[in-house]
């Protein structure tokens, strides 16, 4: 069964380094998302694994077989790598009908006509586009085109499926619907999915493992909830989660055995690590990361805050609070409409706050945050 | 609202004023001449009094129509044979242009061919150069003794006498026109290939289709509409070409419609000529109509652009260097070698003798000698040549200013009033001159302005007529550029100015024009360069006082003064190429970005 391994894969376009010595192993049956802002090298990585792009250096193995190696000069063409590829713009052939689009790959495999017909009909039914078989792609809506593209990719039954931002051209409602179906498809087809996206929500909801990249460098490769709760650095913490994490900058120092006192402009905070004690340098500049859901607003609370704005969306309410010189974001379940400039009390809860080293951005510890 | 109020609010919008003025002016300058042309084909002309029995000048007659269409051998010689020759040579030229241009487009966009930037620059040369360039080069190389005169370089170098069919007539016309329009095909097909979403081909690769199968099942069907469009545009350009068949066909009396038109209009039977012009206009309009219909069809796909940047190129492997070399050598032969032959030909004393001792600067700077070329001095000290060059530049500048300005305003007004019937009318009227073969267009203006009418004096033989015909003929280039420029500009840009109370003239000159400078400028530059190298449009209308370089070249060639012709041709090419290069460097516009011609 296929396992994909990248070893020291680098891609340079002239002087620009798109992907910088990437090591990555994608296990069989995984649903891996390559996540990052545009230009981080995620699409290039995907295209290199598929064989559409030639790496400058490194080695790629699919199912234990070397498909590319800059050392030995092996470079197996995409059609011999036994993969499927779903393109961002679907890449449906405009001069072929839906049926012809889907059957093209099967013809190349020299299937006989009856079998092709049966397979195409089956796929059309599975993807609920049965009535569009004779239409041309330009006569379909975006969502229907998307389904045709998926059917075309699945037709040959590839064990590895690559997807390059397949949902980014759909409207929000359709996107949610397709997400559900992609997740089911992953289980039903029992194949390995590698999925490129810049939408952290997609990565969070779909994948078994998320590979976060920035400027061609791997930032963190872990299951999405692990990335969410224990981000490797400030960049990852900031990129994942919506609304984004609160970052409070201050100067830290070790006090009382393993506690850390953080002096912030306006308030003094006390951080109790739960992931093991750490030792700081003298007057180390640190950044405290607090997810919005770990700020609790209520009648009781140690911190006085002023409501800066309230954004109720029905199910939840995003509240911006000003605390001293800081502007913090909190999320409250349910719709609560605070008045602007209303005085409230707040507290930090749970032991999942993170402190980062300001200079390197690295995660130092997870822990509980309190106010002195 | 009363009608008066409606009219007032209609005319308060500047674009409506422009549209109304243009609708009237263009009807007068394009539709009216067409009617006048039809009328002239039914009228007895002064020179025809002897041929049309018992008729007086100005009388209505079916004589011309009968003679041209239904008079056995006369009709065959007059219309059917030249028509067949036109179709034959145009089809052949199209085939060569598309095969050659398409192959090179594929090699440049889809394979790892070497020296691509050099190839794509030099390949455009034959298209920028005047169309007869290659025809003259062909003659310089392959002319033979059979029709008198000295043999060409090929015979001089190898001693082999070229056959007539090879040196003159259909074969060289097809080859030369094919080569001239190959860059045009390359530009159109290459543009589609470059913009075609690379993912479409990659999707097929992933699904295990072979390279050949991808080309056959995916790439070709998708570029097919562009190829067809290229075919139709090339065909109509070939059909209206005059210079090439005039240079290569005339020596063996190989006539096509345009040369026939020139003969009849310059001869005693202009009535025949006007009918031939009508035939060409009908064919030209028909072809463009087919093209429009085709573009609008269900299976045509203009919106296939994607990020075509990172396509994986086909590796030519062992063939890479040989193929690249072959292409480069070929390009040198069709783009650079002709220039060398013009230089060589212009420096030799006795034609056909290419020995070193036969070289002379007589035809460039020598004083006139009675025994050579009727005593004409060398072209650099010949005041008529300088006058011709001055006329060419003056004409091109004035034409460009008029066409560019009117076209730009037309583009503005058409896009502002998009969707209205008036805008559609003006759009079609402004495009109409493009459908008309240049010489037929010249014939129309000849027929219309050869006599005083509507109180206006006859302007035949004046510079003003040349300016008028040029400005109208090249209006489509400018109005197209103007419409494109305006379509890329959102309406809010101008509306923001309206809200701030900025007057219309200031909005145009300070907001709209500066933003879309490059596009509007190309509306000035395309007419300029086209005008510099135009022959067939002016050849019927020129008088000795306002000769331009191209018609002088044609006259020298007709007289058989080969050295002068070559020297003048070299000057034209240098002027056109250098203007195009400078303009391209400064503004990004270039003749090869135009709509063909």
């Amino acid at each position: 069964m296929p396992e994909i391994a990248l070893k020291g894969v680098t891609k340079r376009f002239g002087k620009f380094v798109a992907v910088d010595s990437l090591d990555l192993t994608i296990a069989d049956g995984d649903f891996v998302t390559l996540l990052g802002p545009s230009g981080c090298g995620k699409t290039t990585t995907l295209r290199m694994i598929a064989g559409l792009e030639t790496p400058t250096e490194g080695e790629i193995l699919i199912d234990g077989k070397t498909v590319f190696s800059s050392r030995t000069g092996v470079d197996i063409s995409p059609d011999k790598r036994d993969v499927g590829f779903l393109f961002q713009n679907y890449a449906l052939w405009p001069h072929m009908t839906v049926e012809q689009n889907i059957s093209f790959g099967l013809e190349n495999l020299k299937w006989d006509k009856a079998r092709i017909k049966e397979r195409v009909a089956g796929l059309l039914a599975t993807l609920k586009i049965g009535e569009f078989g004779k239409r041309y792609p330009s006569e379909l809506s975006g969502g229907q085109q998307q389904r045709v593209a998926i059917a075309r990719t699945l037709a040959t039954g590839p064990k590895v499926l690559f997807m390059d931002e397949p949902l980014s051209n759909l409207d929000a409602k359709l996107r949610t619907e397709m997400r559900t179906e992609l997740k089911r498809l992953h289980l039903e087809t029992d194949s390995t999915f590698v999925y490129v996206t810049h939408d952290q929500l997609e990565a969070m909801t779909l994948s078994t493992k998320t590979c976060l990249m920035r400027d061609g460098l791997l930032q963190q490769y872990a299951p999405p909830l692990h990335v969410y709760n224990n981000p490797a650095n400030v960049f990852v913490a900031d990129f994942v989660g919506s609304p984004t994490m609160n970052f409070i900058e201050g100067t830290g120092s070790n006090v009382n055995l393993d506690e850390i006192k953080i002096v912030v402009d306006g308030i003094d905070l006390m951080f109790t690590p739960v992931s093991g004690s750490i030792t700081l340098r003298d007057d180390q500049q640190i950044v405290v990361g607090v997810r919005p859901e770990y700020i609790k607003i209520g009648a009781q609370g140690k911190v006085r805050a002023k409501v800066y704005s309230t954004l109720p969306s029905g199910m939840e309410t995003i509240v911006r609070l000003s605390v001293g010189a800081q502007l913090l974001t909190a999320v409250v379940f349910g719709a609560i409409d605070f008045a602007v400039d209303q005085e409230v009390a707040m507290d930090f809860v749970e032991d999942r706050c993170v402190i980062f080293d300001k200079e390197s951005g690295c995660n130092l510890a997870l822990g509980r945050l309190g106010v002195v | 609202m009363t009608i008066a109020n409606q009219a007032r609010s209609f005319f308060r919008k500047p674009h409506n004023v422009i549209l109304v003025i243009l609708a009237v002016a263009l009807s007068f300058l394009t539709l009216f001449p067409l009617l006048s042309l039809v009328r002239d084909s039914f009228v007895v002309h002064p020179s025809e009094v002897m041929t049309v029995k018992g008729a007086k000048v100005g009388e209505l007659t079916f004589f011309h129509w009968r003679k041209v269409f239904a008079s056995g051998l006369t009709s065959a010689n007059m219309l059917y044979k030249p028509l067949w020759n036109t179709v034959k040579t145009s089809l052949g030229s199209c085939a060569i242009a598309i095969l050659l241009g398409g192959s090179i487009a594929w090699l440049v966009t889809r394979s790892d061919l070497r020296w691509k930037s050099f190839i794509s620059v030099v390949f455009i040369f034959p298209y920028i150069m005047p169309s007869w360039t290659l025809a003259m080069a062909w003659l310089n190389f392959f002319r033979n003794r059979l029709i008198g005169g000295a043999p060409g370089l090929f015979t001089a170098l190898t001693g082999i006498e070229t056959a007539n069919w090879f040196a003159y007539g259909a074969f060289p016309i097809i080859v030369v026109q094919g080569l001239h329009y190959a860059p045009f095909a390359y530009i159109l097909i290459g543009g589609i290939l470059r913009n075609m979403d690379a993912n479409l081909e990659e999707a097929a690769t992933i699904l295990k289709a072979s390279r050949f199968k991808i080309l056959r099942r995916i790439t070709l069907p998708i570029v097919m509409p562009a190829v067809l469009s290229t075919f139709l545009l090339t065909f109509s350009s070939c059909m209206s070409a005059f210079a090439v068949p005039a240079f290569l066909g005339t020596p063996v009396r190989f006539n096509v419609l345009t040369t026939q038109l020139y003969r009849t209009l310059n001869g005693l039977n202009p009535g025949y000529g006007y009918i031939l012009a009508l035939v060409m206009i009908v064919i030209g309009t028909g072809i463009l109509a087919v093209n429009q219909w085709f573009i609008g069809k269900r299976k045509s796909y203009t919106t296939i652009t994607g990020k075509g940047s990172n396509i994986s190129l086909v590796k030519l492997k062992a063939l890479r260097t040989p193929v690249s070399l072959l292409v480069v050598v070929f390009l040198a032969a069709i783009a650079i070698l002709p220039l060398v032959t013009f230089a060589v030909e212009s420096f030799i004393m006795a034609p056909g003798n290419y020995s070193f001792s036969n070289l002379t600067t007589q035809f460039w700077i020598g004083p006139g000698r009675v025994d050579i070329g009727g005593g004409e001095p060398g072209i650099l000290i010949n005041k008529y040549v300088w006058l011709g060059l001055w006329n060419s530049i003056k004409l091109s500048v004035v034409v460009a200013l008029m066409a560019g300005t009117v076209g730009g305003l037309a583009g503005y007004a058409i896009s502002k009033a998009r969707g209205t019937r008036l805008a559609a009318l003006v759009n079609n009227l402004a495009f109409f001159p493009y459908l008309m073969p240049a010489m037929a267009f010249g014939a129309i203006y000849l027929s219309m302005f050869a006599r005083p009418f509507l109180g206006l004096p006859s302007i035949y033989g004046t510079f003003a007529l040349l300016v008028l015909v040029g400005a109208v003929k090249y209006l489509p280039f400018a109005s197209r550029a103007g419409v494109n420029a305006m379509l890329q500009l959102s309406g809010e840009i101008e509306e923001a100015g309206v809200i701030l109370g900025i007057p219309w003239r200031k909005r145009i000159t300070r907001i709209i024009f500066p933003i879309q400078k490059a596009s509007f400028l190309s509306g000035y530059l395309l007419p300029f360069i086209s005008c510099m190298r135009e022959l067939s449009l002016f050849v019927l209308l020129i008088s000795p006082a306002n000769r331009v370089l191209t018609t002088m070249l044609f006259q020298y060639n007709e007289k058989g003064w080969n050295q002068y012709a070559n020297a003048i041709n070299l000057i034209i090419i240098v002027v056109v190429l250098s203007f195009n290069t400078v303009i391209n460097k400064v503004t990004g516009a270039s003749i090869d970005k135009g709509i063909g011609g």
Side-chain angles (χ1 to χ4, degrees), chain B residues 245-308:
Chain B
F247 277 79
L248 292 170
T250 321
V252 289
R253 288 166 205 263
F254 181 85
N255 273 312
V256 295
L257 284 180
T258 45
T259 53
Q260 191 71 350
L261 186 65
Y262 179 69
R263 252 160 42 99
T264 49
L265 285 177
N266 262 359
L268 293 175
N269 285 304
Y272 296 158
Y274 295 134
I275 294 176
L276 291 177
L278 281 176
V279 170
M280 290 179 69
I281 291 171
V282 167
I283 299 177
T285 317
I287 287 173
L288 267 293
V290 169
N291 189 32
Q292 289 306 4
W293 168 78
F294 194 82
I295 287 171
K297 259 179 46 168
R298 175 183 180 213
K299 271 176 74 181
S300 76
Y301 1 84
T302 42
T303 52
I304 51 167
T305 56
K307 32 178 183 178

Side-chain angles (χ1 to χ4, degrees), chain A residues 47 89 93 95 108 139, chain B residues 197 200 202 213 217 298:
Chain A
R47 290 173 58 87
N89 53 7
W93 298 304
H95 59 295
N108 294 331
E139 296 160 342
Chain B
D197 188 354
L200 292 173
E202 288 173 351
K213 191 164 186 189
R217 292 281 305 274
R298 175 183 180 213

